[in-house]
Amino acid sequence: FPRPWDEADCIKVLELARQINSTAHQAYKLDSLDENVLKCMSFTAQGTLAPLTSFMGGVVAQEALKALTGKFTPLHQWFCFNSMEVVPMDSMEPIDFRARGDRKDGQRICIGEDVCQRLEKLRVFMVGAGAIGCEMLKLFALMNVSADPCGSITVADNDVVEKSNLNRQFLFRPSDIRKPKAQTACQAAQHMNPTLHLDPRLDK
């Protein structure tokens, strides 16, 4: 509860929100509830989007390091991150957002089958397989980007993996030192999602 894109569960969520707000302490009570936000939360509560989970994981890790080292002050307040714009609420057909028992279910719940298919057909040219490139390839693999035969991800990087890269370029391992970055990163991404269509390039 709430089930993805279920109108009955959505109505229950709205009722619960109104009840909680009506009994809340005056300092926390809202004059009016934003029902669009509540509906979006209800419909997509069981969904996941790789970029958002990566972002939240980074925030949590950063706050843990602050607390453990005492070097910086951790957050002592509510933290709200809103990305409702990725959910196509205006052009929704609930059937397109329902789980189908495959690896795309979490993503499909949030953005729908139509957008998932468009991601699969993307043709991407990426320059560099360093720290940012590794993160992008990981997200591409988790989001099924270019998994369709029409899609492709071309990765251009003529550099090789150095020992100093290992602490921030997480697709590489000690056994990859002196190997080409583009090929090694593509192999790691392919291991995460064998359906990707990858083309590593070493050209200068």
Side-chain angles (χ1 to χ4, degrees):
F1 177 83
R3 289 166 293 184
W5 297 87
D6 187 281
E7 290 287 348
D9 283 1
C10 181
I11 291 170
K12 290 179 184 177
V13 168
L14 290 171
E15 289 172 352
L16 279 171
R18 293 188 193 107
Q19 181 182 348
I20 291 168
N21 190 55
S22 66
T23 58
H25 187 277
Q26 193 61 38
Y28 305 111
K29 188 176 291 187
L30 299 173
D31 294 332
S32 62
L33 296 173
D34 190 333
E35 293 196 358
N36 286 332
V37 171
L38 292 168
K39 285 180 180 178
C40 184
M41 183 193 73
S42 173
F43 289 151
T44 63
Q46 294 189 34
T48 55
L49 275 178
L52 295 183
T53 53
S54 290
F55 168 74
M56 291 307 299
V59 171
V60 171
Q62 173 181 278
E63 294 306 302
L65 284 173
K66 287 180 185 178
L68 290 170
T69 63
K71 192 170 183 181
F72 300 102
T73 305
L75 291 173
H76 290 288
Q77 62 191 50
W78 287 102
F79 180 85
C80 177
F81 181 77
N82 184 338
S83 57
M84 278 181 57
E85 64 274 8
V86 303
V87 182
M89 295 286 287
D90 296 333
S91 57
M92 58 159 262
E93 288 291 339
I95 192 67
D96 291 336
F97 295 81
R98 297 277 163 80
R100 302 180 185 183
D102 58 29
R103 67 177 293 151
K104 296 189 295 181
D105 275 353
Q107 179 169 282
R108 186 183 291 111
I109 289 169
C110 295
I111 61 177
E113 178 62 18
D114 180 58
V115 178
C116 285
Q117 288 182 6
R118 280 189 273 166
L119 288 173
E120 291 175 19
K121 294 176 181 178
L122 283 178
R123 298 175 66 82
V124 180
F125 181 76
M126 192 174 79
V127 178
I132 295 174
C134 283
E135 178 69 17
M136 295 299 292
L137 274 175
K138 177 200 78 174
L139 294 176
F140 290 160
L142 294 175
M143 296 179 73
N144 258 28
V145 172
S146 302
D148 188 270
C150 298
S152 67
I153 302 171
T154 302
V155 182
D157 195 326
N158 66 336
D159 200 4
V160 295
V161 180
E162 303 287 353
K163 187 176 182 179
S164 60
N165 300 148
L166 300 181
N167 68 331
R168 64 188 184 281
Q169 298 173 22
F170 55 85
L171 294 184
F172 306 135
R173 300 291 178 265
S175 58
D176 297 324
I177 291 173
R178 304 309 302 166
K179 292 181 180 178
K181 280 187 177 182
Q183 290 180 346
T184 307
C186 285
Q187 287 170 1
Q190 197 91 59
H191 182 72
M192 295 166 71
N193 186 344
T195 64
L196 297 185
H197 294 86
L198 295 159
D199 179 21
R201 309 290 299 185
L202 308 180
D203 315 65
K204 291 187 179 181

